Amino acid sequence: MDFPATADIVIIGGGIIGVSTAYHLTRIKAGKVVLLERTQLAAGATGMSSGLVRMHYDNPIEATFAHESFDTFQHFNEIIGGDCGFVRTGFVRIAKPQNLSRLKANVAMMQDLGIDTRLITNDELKAMAPYMTTEDFTVAAYEPLSGYADPHLTTMGLAGAARRQGAQIMQGVEVRGIEIAGGRVQGVHTSRGNVATPVVINAAGPWGALVAAMAGIGLEITPALHQATILETPPDLPTPHLTFIDRINGVYGRPETGNLTLAGTSGGEHNKVIDPAELDSFGQAPMPHIQFQALERLCARIPVMETAPVRRGHTGAEGYSRDGHALLGPAPGIEGFYLATGMSGHGFKEGPAIGRTMAEWVVHGRSDVVDITPLRVTRFAEGQPYQGPYAYQ
Ligand SMILES: Cc1cc2nc3c(=O)[nH]c(=O)nc-3n(C[C@H](O)[C@H](O)[C@H](O)COP(=O)(O)OP(=O)(O)OC[C@H]3O[C@@H](n4cnc5c(N)ncnc54)[C@H](O)[C@@H]3O)c2cc1C
């Protein structure tokens, strides 16, 4: 593929956010769109994602992103073309007892947004999933339509559709500098040459702060590790079993292709912070002590998992902002530089809608999806980190 000397818009990063933005920009015919990925598509957080596709959030912006994206996962072939590996399993979120009133308020908030979710009692969950322990809570949030999707297939599907609409997607091209003159973006310097462009979108995921620094912008994005453990599903469980997030035990799980179950854990050493310089060198093999704790937590919710052999696992890195929400919108003081980074653990399921939001922002200066000004990058300096009215504690 010829290296492009010019572009109307350059996207840095070929994860779910970059390819979705490329898809939506070309869908609305925003001009010549070039996506530059330094290794291969889905090489970063996206390729490691556990792929949970659910809509439960404790704030309306992310619930809206997840809801808007859900349609794309559910009807991927009709909307994008091809298969994203979406499997409907039903999803349940078990909250800590001290968050019960917040859980109820958030389910009501999501119902107002049109999300198919409801409260179920522990007895109802027991009837639905007899393999789960249900004595330690009274009600949980349930989404009958949710499940999981394949992050690689989703990324490739969106990239393929973006290419068919005219996007140029270059892999193995690292952006090494962003040229700015007179307060405006002029172009990017890469490992293959320069691209002149008036618009650059930073979709570099956990590398987002490193890319922003090329434009002289300081971003607080903390890279942290997250591990997935993959076990054989015991025969006592139905196929597919429920997808769930259990905040009491700090574990989530979902079925995985091949009669397997994927589990992940969070909190403390389960999200070990690393230096941005380590993003290219951290070990992707599973850490045995985290794997052991994941098993313990999983068995606390699904006791029969005690019999499940561990088959494999992996460790990925994700970029977290200080308030746990993405940094979205124009970068302050540099015309033509946009941020879509710091997804803070939510980017896969929200990617289709975030890509649309970014495309609309670049072209129209606003988006019909949702108002993203609460996620502006300057919110921390202004003392206004974002949180929903019923944020979990
Ligand atoms: C183990 C794990 C499990 C997860 N589970 C879930 C889940 O169940 N559901 C969910 O919604 N989210 C989940 N997440 C979070 C989700 O995967 C991320 O939020 C999302 O993938 C981020 O996508 P991205 O496109 O912003 O970043 P990435 O996928 O990291 O993409 C950034 C890309 O930028 C490229 N890049 C960086 N620097 C440069 C440069 N200088 N030049 C060119 N290219 C560059 C990188 O190579 C990379 O491919 C999980 C994350 C991890 C790590």
Side-chain angles (χ1 to χ4, degrees):
M1 191 185 294
D2 286 345
F3 189 76
T6 61
D8 293 312
I9 300 167
V10 165
I11 299 167
I12 305 175
I16 186 78
I17 301 300
V19 297
S20 172
T21 305
Y23 165 76
H24 283 287
L25 280 169
T26 48
R27 189 179 57 82
I28 59 175
K29 303 193 182 349
K32 182 177 173 189
V33 175
V34 171
L35 184 151
L36 303 174
E37 163 54 49
R38 58 182 206 140
T39 55
Q40 76 268 7
L41 298 179
T46 301
M48 293 293 179
S49 177
S50 299
L52 268 65
V53 173
R54 43 95 187 181
M55 292 166 273
H56 191 104
Y57 272 100
D58 65 359
N59 66 83
I61 295 182
E62 293 199 86
T64 302
F65 281 148
H67 184 211
E68 163 86 19
S69 299
F70 187 70
D71 219 34
T72 302
F73 287 109
Q74 231 188 342
H75 304 294
F76 200 80
N77 192 28
E78 296 91 306
I79 297 172
I80 307 295
D83 182 16
C84 70
F86 177 71
V87 178
R88 177 180 300 170
T89 62
F91 166 79
V92 69
R93 188 190 193 284
I94 299 168
K96 292 179 186 164
Q98 67 263 34
N99 280 323
L100 183 57
S101 61
R102 293 183 190 92
L103 182 84
K104 290 179 178 173
N106 285 323
V107 167
M109 175 267 289
M110 282 177 275
Q111 287 171 337
D112 283 349
L113 291 173
I115 294 173
D116 189 348
T117 182
R118 63 179 192 267
L119 293 167
I120 54 171
T121 66
N122 58 345
D123 288 341
E124 284 174 289
L125 180 58
K126 191 77 186 171
M128 197 185 292
Y131 48 89
M132 283 189 166
T133 57
T134 54
E135 296 81 27
D136 53 344
F137 62 93
T138 52
V139 292
Y142 176 61
E143 294 171 16
L145 303 179
S146 296
Y148 67 94
D150 183 315
H152 288 273
L153 288 179
T154 308
T155 305
M156 294 309 159
L158 283 163
R163 278 192 191 103
R164 288 193 295 279
Q165 293 171 165
Q168 199 171 345
I169 295 182
M170 309 283 300
Q171 302 185 71
V173 179
E174 182 176 28
V175 174
R176 294 183 174 160
I178 298 173
E179 197 180 315
I180 292 156
R184 289 198 59 101
V185 166
Q186 308 291 328
V188 293
H189 305 296
T190 84
S191 52
R192 294 256 321 258
N194 298 339
V195 187
T197 180
V199 175
V200 169
I201 302 173
N202 175 356
W207 292 264
L210 298 174
V211 167
M214 295 176 195
I217 298 220
L219 286 189
E220 259 190 69
I221 298 177
T222 307
L225 302 181
H226 182 71
Q227 182 168 318
T229 297
I230 296 162
L231 321 92
E232 264 182 42
T233 310
D236 316 59
L237 264 65
T239 308
H241 60 73
L242 272 182
T243 295
F244 66 94
I245 295 179
D246 168 7
R247 287 291 182 208
I248 295 177
N249 293 302
V251 65
Y252 65 78
R254 67 150 170 97
E256 167 69 327
T257 312
N259 205 33
L260 299 168
T261 295
L262 181 152
T265 46
S266 55
E269 62 172 347
H270 296 257
N271 298 109
K272 186 177 165 236
V273 169
I274 59 168
D275 191 89
E278 290 177 80
L279 278 168
D280 296 326
S281 59
F282 71 89
Q284 295 189 343
M287 292 168 274
H289 67 290
I290 301 284
Q291 208 156 46
F292 175 71
Q293 286 179 39
L295 276 174
E296 274 198 328
R297 294 179 186 194
L298 189 59
C299 292
R301 185 58 63 203
I302 305 180
V304 73
M305 283 290 178
E306 209 171 44
T307 63
V310 173
R311 284 296 175 207
R312 56 179 197 267
H314 57 255
T315 303
E318 165 71 324
Y320 292 84
S321 78
R322 208 196 303 164
D323 60 8
H325 305 292
L327 305 172
L328 298 180
I334 303 178
E335 212 172 315
F337 190 41
Y338 293 84
L339 305 168
T341 182
M343 295 298 141
S344 303
H346 321 298
F348 176 65
K349 76 183 77 58
E350 298 178 14
I354 290 178
R356 183 182 149 200
T357 305
M358 290 310 300
E360 291 177 353
W361 253 91
V362 168
V363 175
H364 305 302
R366 58 178 297 280
S367 169
D368 288 338
V369 176
V370 69
D371 177 15
I372 53 165
T373 45
L375 301 184
R376 68 197 176 282
V377 63
T378 52
R379 67 188 186 266
F380 302 112
E382 294 161 7
Q384 293 185 324
Y386 178 61
Q387 85 168 20
Y390 308 106
Y392 293 123
Q393 290 165 359

